[in-house]
Amino acid sequence: MFNPTYLQRSRHGIFYFRWTVPGEPEASSKAYSIKISLRTREPRQALQLASPLRYLTQMLIQRGVHRLMDHKQLRELVHSHFAKMVARAEARIDADGPLSKIMQRQCNETIRLTQDQVADGFLSVEWAKQEVAEFLQQYELQIEHTDELTDKLGTLIFKGRQAYLEAALNYSSKAETIDFSPGPVSVDQKAQQLELTPLTIAELVSEFWKYAKREGRWTSKTEAAKDEHIELLYERLGRDFPAREVGRKQAHLMRDTLLVYPANRNKGRVTRGKPLVEVLDMPNVPKLHNLSINKYLHTYNGMFNWAVQNGHCEANPFSGLSLRTNKSDDDAPRLPFTDAQLKLIQDAVLFGRVGQKDHHKWGTLIAIHTGARLNEIAQLHLDDILQVDGVWCFDINRKPGTLKKLKNAASKRIVPIHPRLIGFGFLDYFEQMKARRGNERLFPDLPHNKSDGYGRNLGRWVNESLLPELEIKSDQLTFHSLRHTMVRKLVAANVSQPHIMAIVGHEQGTTTLDTYNRKGFPPKLLLAAMESAF
């Protein structure tokens, strides 16, 4: 089939429309390219989508509407956009009363995520691009969508959303408060108090941890990892080093240290218990992967970002220090299984292995057909299996009074049970567990562990028994690869990104006051998406 030059294909098989816009001689401007994802792998459909874009692009070039706006104009437009949203939010609060506790928590969570996005230079670049694209479309701005524009306008939009949510929360707080006490301490007075009592790094950590724990930011496993990150900060800079004096020099020192820092230092035989100076750049010892380095930097960045917001520091020295992780698949921490490998795994658990238990069989099959996380599956209760609008579903949740836990707010979701699971006899197993006296869990024989929840036994069986026996075990192929495999299959089936995120429990990243209390996509819609993958 004929493919014109303006139709290009990415290494992932997605077609893009690409058109070169000539520069303007009188302005001495250079040529640049317009690049738009057509979101399809089908050549014929891509050609149909690209044809009107070619016509529109030619018309836009002829009319000269591809000029850029300067930063001031963009900032004023973003300010105007969110000022209108603030006015609408205040009007709703005046009419309906203060925001509910749920809405307040969601506002604070969105603010925190927005701060992390801006501070880390958009960890989710695709969402930043989507935000910018939607904003440009809303105001019909014909501006070249470059990486520079994504960074510039994306930052303004994210900061504007943060300011909007903070304004809404503040207005809501005033709407439910009757206060006759003296006015608050002024900013100057607070600054003076901080100048008199500057915090050490250890004191800053203590303050930050206190609020982070109260807000329930982390699971116990994540908190343990962050404790290791902080211990390294103490070793390198010192517990009593003034937090306000941590600058770019110290931040770069920490990043340089991480580049030669051994992986699993506290577990490795040759590094365990040894001082930092002896283990740095130790020969024949694996070093941290870039993703692991970024986890350390993300901990430091989050803490110092909080310190700036709370007046303990003037600037965040760790902002923008994350490493690029666009490595080849051979270096990736996790890879999806091939279709042949997936069939091998499925057939193996269906026909049974030596030492295989019911929770091994059904836990693995659920992971294959939902992409759910290991502990989400292992901790399922019997009342988490229910029908919603006539569709059998898993209710993945964190109920009070149980030991269940979730990675984040987006992990709480309803996931349809794939018909293939039902065909394998899952509902029969479900009824057997219901008939067991005094039992309330789907997998009652899986023990609980403080750091790993209920998933350790199932994960070890797959990683240390099943996969090695099938001769498909590697550092990149583990139980978690089943999750990657489900995502890959959904993408290959052209399932939309929001639907994929709803199925596997990824954060959508576009929460606003107008979308609170949203019930999510109908189970029948998600089930159709899942059936297209299998």
Side-chain angles (χ1 to χ4, degrees):
M1 181 178 177
F2 168 70
N3 282 340
T5 56
Y6 56 80
L7 199 58
Q8 298 186 1
R9 200 172 200 167
S10 74
R11 62 189 179 91
H12 302 294
I14 300 294
F15 280 96
Y16 282 79
F17 170 80
R18 189 182 185 94
W19 193 275
T20 300
V21 179
E24 299 180 14
E26 65 274 17
S28 300
S29 61
K30 298 180 180 179
Y32 60 87
S33 296
I34 295 173
K35 186 178 181 182
I36 302 173
S37 172
L38 299 176
R39 299 184 181 182
T40 181
R41 292 179 171 83
E42 176 58 41
R44 189 177 301 278
Q45 184 181 17
L47 185 60
Q48 292 173 345
L49 292 170
S51 295
L53 288 176
R54 173 177 174 271
Y55 171 78
L56 289 173
T57 303
Q58 289 177 320
M59 293 297 296
L60 290 174
I61 292 173
Q62 292 174 3
R63 297 177 184 179
V65 295
H66 53 280
R67 297 185 298 272
L68 293 173
M69 297 173 67
D70 61 28
H71 179 78
K72 182 179 179 181
Q73 291 172 313
L74 290 174
R75 184 175 61 81
E76 289 175 349
L77 182 60
V78 171
H79 181 277
S80 173
H81 172 79
F82 286 104
K84 294 175 183 177
M85 294 180 65
V86 169
R88 289 196 295 269
E90 291 178 352
R92 285 198 300 270
I93 292 170
D94 287 341
D96 303 331
L99 301 176
S100 68
K101 297 299 182 184
I102 294 177
M103 294 174 71
Q104 291 179 34
R105 284 198 299 270
Q106 290 177 321
C107 276
N108 283 313
E109 178 67 7
T110 303
I111 290 171
R112 183 183 67 78
L113 293 172
T114 300
Q115 291 167 347
D116 289 348
Q117 288 277 18
V118 175
D120 292 342
F122 297 128
L123 291 177
S124 179
V125 176
E126 290 304 316
W127 278 115
K129 289 182 177 179
Q130 181 177 334
E131 291 278 349
V132 170
E134 291 175 354
F135 189 88
L136 294 177
Q137 183 179 11
Q138 180 176 349
Y139 289 93
E140 299 181 352
L141 298 177
Q142 304 298 334
I143 301 177
E144 178 193 6
H145 197 165
T146 62
D147 290 342
E148 180 182 1
L149 179 68
T150 296
D151 184 66
K152 181 189 298 184
L153 184 53
T155 299
L156 288 172
I157 292 172
F158 276 68
K159 287 184 175 180
R161 176 175 294 109
Q162 177 184 337
Y164 150 61
L165 292 172
E166 288 172 343
L169 285 171
N170 184 53
Y171 195 84
S172 176
S173 176
K174 291 178 180 179
E176 60 183 349
T177 302
I178 300 176
D179 188 9
F180 299 103
S181 62
V185 178
S186 69
V187 175
D188 290 340
Q189 288 174 310
K190 286 185 178 180
Q192 290 173 3
Q193 292 171 3
L194 288 172
E195 287 294 337
L196 293 174
T197 56
L199 298 181
T200 64
I201 290 179
E203 290 169 337
L204 175 61
V205 169
S206 178
E207 283 293 298
F208 177 56
W209 248 239
K210 178 174 66 177
Y211 289 102
K213 287 183 177 180
R214 184 173 182 86
E215 295 167 1
R217 291 193 183 190
W218 313 311
T219 64
S220 57
K221 186 174 183 179
T222 301
E223 184 177 342
K226 290 185 178 293
D227 283 335
E228 288 190 15
H229 303 167
I230 293 301
E231 284 301 320
L232 179 60
L233 188 69
Y234 288 157
E235 283 188 273
R236 206 69 175 109
L237 302 184
R239 299 174 64 93
D240 297 326
F241 193 90
R244 281 199 164 195
E245 294 183 18
V246 178
R248 258 327 201 206
K249 179 180 178 181
Q250 287 76 22
H252 285 151
L253 175 63
M254 290 304 304
R255 186 172 65 175
D256 292 343
T257 299
L258 291 168
L259 293 176
V260 294
Y261 192 69
N264 299 314
R265 173 193 174 189
N266 296 324
K267 298 178 181 178
R269 181 176 56 83
V270 298
T271 57
R272 184 174 58 245
K274 292 185 177 180
L276 181 63
V277 66
E278 292 186 22
V279 301
L280 288 182
D281 213 11
M282 184 179 283
N284 303 319
V285 173
K287 303 299 185 288
L288 292 176
H289 189 279
N290 279 5
L291 287 173
S292 298
I293 292 175
N294 283 346
K295 288 180 180 179
Y296 279 79
L297 295 174
H298 187 263
T299 296
Y300 307 147
N301 178 73
M303 183 174 70
F304 277 91
N305 193 47
W306 179 89
V308 172
Q309 294 163 0
N310 287 272
H312 299 301
C313 295
E314 294 180 359
N316 179 1
F318 289 92
S319 176
L321 292 190
S322 296
L323 302 179
R324 291 185 178 272
T325 57
N326 53 338
K327 293 194 168 214
S328 66
D329 284 346
D330 292 337
D331 296 324
R334 297 289 185 272
L335 291 174
F337 292 105
T338 65
D339 289 344
Q341 290 171 334
L342 195 65
K343 187 177 188 306
L344 198 62
I345 294 170
Q346 179 177 286
D347 289 347
V349 296
L350 282 174
F351 293 110
R353 314 289 292 178
V354 175
Q356 177 178 304
K357 308 292 186 182
D358 283 341
H359 51 255
H360 295 147
K361 171 185 176 179
W362 292 112
T364 304
L365 290 174
I366 291 172
I368 290 174
H369 292 88
T370 64
R373 299 177 179 90
L374 172 61
N375 194 57
E376 291 175 345
I377 297 169
Q379 69 184 9
L380 283 169
H381 281 210
L382 294 174
D383 58 7
D384 295 332
I385 316 300
L386 72 169
Q387 284 189 300
V388 181
D389 298 333
V391 177
W392 280 103
C393 296
F394 294 112
D395 181 0
I396 298 177
N397 60 68
R398 177 177 51 200
K399 290 181 179 177
T402 69
L403 295 175
K404 297 164 75 173
K405 58 185 180 181
L406 297 177
K407 183 175 182 180
N408 50 48
S411 301
K412 184 180 184 301
R413 64 197 188 278
I414 299 291
V415 181
I417 299 177
H418 199 287
R420 285 176 49 166
L421 274 177
I422 297 175
F424 293 149
F426 173 74
L427 293 182
D428 293 334
Y429 170 77
F430 169 58
E431 290 298 331
Q432 293 173 18
M433 292 300 100
K434 285 176 63 178
R436 184 183 291 192
R437 180 175 296 179
N439 175 48
E440 61 180 16
R441 292 178 50 215
L442 184 63
F443 303 122
D445 295 331
L446 289 178
H448 180 267
N449 177 275
K450 184 177 180 181
S451 63
D452 298 320
Y454 290 99
R456 174 177 289 187
N457 180 289
L458 175 58
R460 282 185 172 178
W461 181 80
V462 171
N463 295 333
E464 299 174 13
S465 179
L466 178 63
L467 296 183
E469 286 182 23
L470 298 177
E471 299 182 349
I472 54 176
K473 178 68 174 76
S474 71
D475 290 340
Q476 289 81 35
L477 292 175
T478 66
F479 184 97
H480 197 72
S481 296
L482 296 172
R483 181 170 171 82
H484 289 253
T485 306
M486 183 60 171
V487 172
R488 175 180 63 82
K489 282 185 165 294
L490 291 168
V491 170
N494 283 327
V495 175
S496 70
Q497 190 174 35
H499 290 168
I500 295 175
M501 290 181 161
I503 292 169
V504 300
H506 280 157
E507 294 177 320
Q508 297 281 352
T510 58
T511 304
T512 65
L513 284 174
D514 295 328
T515 60
Y516 286 150
N517 298 322
R518 184 177 177 183
K519 294 182 179 180
F521 297 106
K524 289 182 180 179
L525 188 62
L526 297 182
L527 180 59
M530 295 169 68
E531 288 184 294
S532 69
F534 284 97

